[in-house]
Amino acid sequence: MTGQSIPPKRPLLGPNRKASEEHDLFHQLQIDPLNEALNSRLLSHFVTDMGKIKPRSQTKLTWRSQRRLGKAIRRAKMMGIIPVLSRRVLIRDERDY
């Protein structure tokens, strides 16, 4: 090794507990993400364009909220509320008309 430095890796785990509690709206408003499984507009913010669940390092949620949000997204996909392979919202509100 002749003086070459290894580039730093990006964090895979996400923020620590204090920082995630500050960013996590589910935690602050005491909302259970599982109760929001029918809310396609909310869940689409936590899904990539290819339909994958965003990692905790991007969502900045607490461990508990991230796990429950993932479960809610999987439930919504199984019920057909959000598409399996894309991010678009299927159900419209009365505000959309």
Side-chain angles (χ1 to χ4, degrees), residues 2-15:
T2 59
Q4 295 178 354
S5 64
I6 299 172
K9 292 184 180 180
R10 63 185 180 106
L12 298 176
L13 299 177

Side-chain angles (χ1 to χ4, degrees), residues 85-97:
L85 294 176
S86 67
R87 184 180 172 191
R88 58 194 169 94
V89 178
L90 290 181
I91 298 177
R92 294 180 160 220
D93 295 358
E94 55 273 353
R95 294 178 287 177
D96 293 337
Y97 298 113

Side-chain angles (χ1 to χ4, degrees), residues 1 4 7 31 82 97:
M1 300 254 198
Q4 295 178 354
I31 297 173
I82 59 174
Y97 298 113

Side-chain angles (χ1 to χ4, degrees), residues 7-55:
K9 292 184 180 180
R10 63 185 180 106
L12 298 176
L13 299 177
N16 60 14
R17 181 177 177 170
K18 184 177 180 181
S20 64
E21 286 178 353
E22 291 174 2
H23 288 97
D24 187 1
L25 290 178
F26 295 113
H27 179 77
Q28 291 174 3
L29 300 175
Q30 297 178 351
I31 297 173
D32 187 7
L34 285 177
N35 295 336
E36 300 298 322
L38 300 177
N39 190 346
S40 63
R41 185 176 301 255
L42 174 67
L43 296 180
S44 67
H45 291 290
F46 298 100
V47 177
T48 64
D49 292 335
M50 293 300 296
K52 296 176 97 178
I53 301 170
K54 289 183 181 178

